[in-house]
Amino acid sequence: MNIRFALYNNEPDFTPSRAHPGDACFDLFARCYVAPDDLKDEKEHIYLAPGKRLLAKTGVFLEMQEGWEALVRPRSGNALKFGLTVLNTPGTIDAGYRNEVGVILHNAGQMMMELKRGMKIAQIAFRPIPEHTLTGISMDEFNADTARGLGGFGSSGT
């Protein structure tokens, strides 16, 4: 499947790329950062305090066919080394979305995180979405007769 993309101001520095042939995901780079309370104030360099979040704009605009989605995920190295993660992971981008791809970054670490333009901040995967529907039924019709049944949240032990 060919996924088309455009770049902010046609800047090639933001082109999503695979680090190695056959990788499942493409790396995403930061074009700029914006605080959640002022999405118009774009900064190329910012510090993110522990426990805080912000939006990183990637400079990437996707053009996916209906029936596809993009999933934005954390980079494992950023998560392990710095505690930098994607807050709503995986972030879903629907085929009909045409604005710039943004990534909500969260500093789950213990130290101030310096973020710069051009940093690898996340990764993106593309997946087909199978056609499906939901059918509502009454609880009388609902079948919970499985090995797990209605168990959840620790029901299998700790």
Side-chain angles (χ1 to χ4, degrees):
M1 169 50 81
N2 183 34
I3 307 282
R4 292 170 26 126
F5 70 94
L7 298 170
Y8 182 86
N9 286 340
N10 295 316
E11 296 180 46
D13 294 347
F14 308 122
T15 301
S17 62
R18 286 183 167 136
H20 307 284
D23 282 356
C25 297
F26 292 80
D27 288 322
L28 291 174
F29 303 87
R31 178 180 70 79
C32 68
Y33 304 94
V34 293
D37 56 346
D38 187 359
L39 297 178
K40 292 187 169 125
D41 185 22
E42 298 181 350
K43 298 187 182 320
E44 291 186 7
H45 183 257
I46 197 167
Y47 289 90
L48 184 60
K52 298 297 181 182
R53 68 187 182 281
L54 55 66
L55 178 67
K57 294 184 177 183
T58 65
V60 175
F61 296 76
L62 295 174
E63 189 178 291
M64 293 182 289
Q65 293 178 358
E66 193 172 309
W68 282 81
E69 71 171 330
L71 300 168
V72 178
R73 303 172 177 167
R75 296 185 70 243
S76 58
N78 285 350
L80 178 63
K81 294 175 187 174
F82 311 114
L84 186 67
T85 190
V86 175
L87 192 57
N88 63 322
T89 189
T92 298
I93 302 171
D94 294 311
Y97 180 76
R98 291 293 190 262
N99 208 338
E100 184 173 6
V101 173
V103 179
I104 303 169
L105 294 176
H106 173 68
N107 183 350
Q110 303 298 312
M111 304 191 51
M112 187 74 72
M113 180 78 195
E114 182 178 17
L115 302 173
K116 297 178 181 178
R117 177 183 173 97
M119 280 183 65
K120 288 183 182 181
I121 46 115
Q123 54 186 339
I124 191 166
F126 300 94
R127 300 288 178 256
I129 301 171
E131 185 62 36
H132 54 273
T133 59
L134 292 176
T135 302
I137 59 174
S138 72
M139 283 303 293
D140 293 333
E141 295 175 271
F142 183 74
N143 179 5
D145 187 20
T146 66
R148 185 173 183 175
L150 296 175
F153 297 111
S155 65
S156 64
T158 55

